[in-house]
Amino acid sequence: MKKLLIILLVLTSLTLFAEQINLTVHYHRYNGDYDGWGLHLWGAVQESGGTFVINGQTYDWQNAMPFSDDDSYGKVVTFLVDDTTPLGFIVHKGDEKDPPNLDRSFD
């Protein structure tokens, strides 16, 4: 019984001290056309079955997370991610990826 209690305490402690960081993605299109382009995320975000949640909003492949701001480079979005897990992402508009056939990641 003591072993079980120790394991539960360790898991709880690890969960309580998981770090989150703000991640900012800057996106530039040479033609300046950003209409409909957004992000699909996996890994270091709350996700399940192809959907993910950022700031209480649920997104999926048909409903990409939009960029929220502009800067001198192009479009920008900032969100919290788990600092201990790699984050995968795709910039896409429907089934069109930018760049084509490339998934990106932050470790």
Side-chain angles (χ1 to χ4, degrees), residues 23-27 39 65-69 75-79:
L23 178 68
T24 300
V25 176
H26 296 262
Y27 178 56
L39 294 176
M65 184 174 81
F67 293 92
S68 57
D69 289 311
K75 293 292 185 177
V76 180
V77 65
T78 300
F79 50 93

Side-chain angles (χ1 to χ4, degrees), residues 36-41 50-52 57-66 92 94:
W37 289 92
L39 294 176
H40 187 78
L41 309 173
T51 64
F52 60 98
Q57 177 68 42
T58 301
Y59 301 99
D60 59 25
W61 188 256
Q62 285 72 36
N63 179 31
M65 184 174 81
H92 73 100

Side-chain angles (χ1 to χ4, degrees), residues 44-56:
V45 295
Q46 180 185 347
E47 63 166 320
S48 176
T51 64
F52 60 98
V53 178
I54 299 291
N55 296 330

